[in-house]
Amino acid sequence: MPEEETRAPVKPRPAFLIDPNWRGVATVLGVLGLGAGGVATFTTDVEGGPVTMLVIGLIFMFMR
């Protein structure tokens, strides 16, 4: 039976840190995108644009 490999423990990498100023910008863009997509969903007959605005807003909100 072959011997098992021994490996050095993997050192975890630090999380990606966002500058507080850019975090605020991402929050504002996320809120604006979600708001614009929400309003456009109920006021227009176009499907692609409002959904895209909602997705972009959601992505920016997850960045905070």
Side-chain angles (χ1 to χ4, degrees), residues 33-46:
L34 287 172
V39 168
T41 299
F42 295 108
T43 59
T44 63
D45 294 330
V46 181

Side-chain angles (χ1 to χ4, degrees), residues 25-36:
V25 169
T27 301
V28 169
L29 287 174
V31 169
L32 290 175
L34 287 172

Side-chain angles (χ1 to χ4, degrees), residues 1-16:
M1 196 162 155
E3 293 183 26
E4 293 184 23
E5 275 187 49
T6 57
R7 296 182 184 190
V10 178
K11 191 176 193 180
R13 297 186 310 175
F16 180 72

